[in-house]
């Protein structure tokens, strides 16, 4: 499962999506997330999925890579689906057995929420896979710059989010090394039911937390040694500029949202 986590990883490339301004990608990601919540049926989800798939194909990431990133949330999707199947009682009754009742409305609602969760994760993956941590930091800080007038720590918040994203693949790699070392000593992480495998993961957490605190302490000492004092007076090697392709990207997402609103108005679900 550890190798399937893609959030925090950066897939380098020279596609149009990669060349977009990071502020554009952040705003468009929020717009795509809003479009997922605006969709009232599966037709809107299909439009968003086709749009994300076209973006992924243009970046040469591939659908298989995005699907692999969904595996860590598979249990959450299944639990969400089952809870809505068993606790929604709208519509025609399809199955009734003892205390279990499955209705047509409950099944449709469960599939709808599961699809929404999958789309939200996929859209977030597309952002982190096509944007480096440094670019994300600069984009977040630039978008939050107006909040500095009310003493909001825009640079510090952006830096913390960037470090958190950067540490995800690093900690996953460290966890994989610890797991292989414990398996070589006889630990079993594969056999047994879900609760037994979760219990077997407990000895993995202690060395992982120790390693995370050590890396955080090393990073803090390195930043202090280089006289890091926040964003005041800080210069950048690459300045952010909006280009024509950013305008085209905004227009494409606006057309997508307009299409979803039309489908909602027409009643196509």
């Amino acid at each position: 499962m550890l190798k399937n986590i893609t959030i925090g990883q950066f897939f380098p490339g020279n596609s149009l999506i990669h060349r977009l301004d990071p502020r554009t990608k952040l705003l468009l990601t929020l717009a795509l997330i809003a479009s997922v919540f605006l969709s009232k049926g599966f037709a809107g989800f299909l439009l968003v999925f086709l749009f994300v798939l076209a973006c992924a194909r243009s970046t040469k990431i591939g659908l298989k890579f995005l699907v692999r990133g969904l595996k860590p949330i598979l249990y959450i999707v299944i639990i969400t689906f089952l809870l809505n199947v068993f606790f929604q009682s709208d519509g025609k009754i399809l199955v009734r057995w003892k205390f279990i009742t499955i209705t047509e409305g409950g099944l449709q609602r469960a599939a709808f929420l599961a699809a929404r969760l999958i789309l939200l994760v996929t859209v977030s993956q597309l952002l982190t896979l096509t944007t480096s941590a440094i670019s994300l930091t600069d984009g977040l800080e630039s978008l939050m710059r107006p909040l500095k007038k009310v003493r909001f720590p825009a640079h510090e918040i952006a830096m913390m989010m960037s470090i958190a994203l950067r540490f995800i693949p690093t900690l996953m790699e460290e966890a994989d090394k610890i797991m292989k070392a414990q398996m070589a000593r006889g630990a079993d992480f594969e056999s047994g039911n879900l609760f037994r495998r979760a219990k077997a993961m407990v000895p993995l957490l202690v060395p992982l937390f120790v390693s995370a605190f050590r890396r955080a302490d090393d990073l803090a000492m390195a930043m202090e040694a280089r006289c890091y004092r926040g964003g005041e007076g800080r210069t950048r090697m690459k300045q952010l500029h909006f280009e024509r392709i950013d305008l085209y990207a905004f227009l494409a997402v606006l057309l997508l949202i307009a299409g979803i609103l039309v489908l909602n108005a027409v009643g196509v679900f």
Side-chain angles (χ1 to χ4, degrees):
M1 181 180 291
L2 297 176
K3 67 176 69 174
N4 294 323
I5 296 179
T6 59
I7 294 180
Q9 297 184 21
F10 172 56
F11 191 89
N14 193 35
S15 65
L16 291 176
I17 306 297
H18 283 89
R19 296 201 302 269
L20 288 175
D21 190 282
R23 294 170 294 182
T24 300
K25 285 187 274 190
L26 285 166
L27 292 174
L28 293 185
T29 299
L30 293 177
L32 286 175
I33 291 174
S35 69
V36 172
F37 284 102
L38 283 174
S39 301
K40 295 182 180 180
F42 293 100
F45 285 171
L46 181 60
L47 277 182
V48 178
F49 174 75
L50 292 176
F51 183 84
V52 173
L53 181 61
C55 293
R57 291 293 297 271
S58 68
T59 59
K60 298 182 180 180
I61 292 176
L63 181 61
K64 290 183 178 180
F65 194 82
L66 293 176
V67 172
R68 194 180 77 182
L70 294 174
K71 290 182 180 179
I73 67 161
L74 181 61
Y75 291 116
I76 300 176
V77 173
I78 293 175
I79 291 172
T80 302
F81 182 85
L82 293 178
L83 286 176
N84 284 276
V85 166
F86 294 139
F87 290 97
Q88 290 284 339
S89 57
D90 299 333
K92 180 181 178 182
I93 297 177
L94 301 177
V95 176
R96 174 174 285 174
W97 182 72
K98 294 184 179 180
F99 62 91
I100 297 176
T101 302
I102 300 177
T103 63
E104 185 178 353
L107 195 61
Q108 183 177 359
R109 182 68 177 174
F112 181 81
L113 292 178
R116 173 181 284 176
L117 181 59
I118 290 172
L119 279 177
L120 291 175
V121 175
T122 304
V123 170
S124 302
Q125 282 187 94
L126 193 60
L127 170 66
T128 57
L129 288 172
T130 59
T131 315
S132 64
I134 297 298
S135 297
L136 276 177
T137 302
D138 293 341
L140 282 171
E141 184 180 357
S142 178
L143 290 175
M144 294 187 295
R145 189 173 298 164
L147 298 177
K148 288 184 177 180
K149 296 180 179 179
V150 292
R151 298 185 179 275
F152 183 81
H155 175 77
E156 287 74 12
I157 296 296
M159 179 61 69
M160 285 191 296
M161 294 181 67
S162 173
I163 292 174
L165 285 174
R166 180 63 186 87
F167 263 52
I168 290 175
T170 303
L171 290 179
M172 291 304 102
E173 183 180 355
E174 187 73 21
D176 189 54
K177 291 180 181 178
I178 297 172
M179 183 180 293
K180 288 180 179 178
Q182 293 187 359
M183 290 174 65
R185 293 172 172 83
D188 186 10
F189 298 100
E190 302 295 334
S191 62
N193 54 30
L194 180 61
F195 295 101
R196 186 171 180 179
R197 280 185 287 175
K199 185 178 179 181
M201 296 289 289
V202 174
L204 176 68
L205 298 178
V206 176
L208 184 61
F209 273 109
V210 171
S211 174
F213 285 124
R214 185 177 66 249
R215 288 180 180 274
D217 185 61
D218 292 342
L219 178 61
M221 291 181 64
M223 294 173 73
E224 287 186 4
R226 289 165 175 80
C227 300
Y228 176 77
R229 294 293 181 271
E232 290 298 330
R234 177 173 173 262
T235 59
R236 296 180 177 84
M237 184 177 69
K238 295 182 179 180
Q239 299 294 326
L240 300 180
H241 298 287
F242 286 108
E243 304 291 345
R244 184 173 295 180
I245 57 173
D246 298 292
L247 176 61
Y248 294 154
F250 277 113
L251 291 176
V253 174
L254 286 177
L255 287 176
L256 172 67
I257 295 176
I260 292 173
L261 294 177
V262 169
L263 290 175
N264 292 341
V266 173
V268 179
F269 298 125

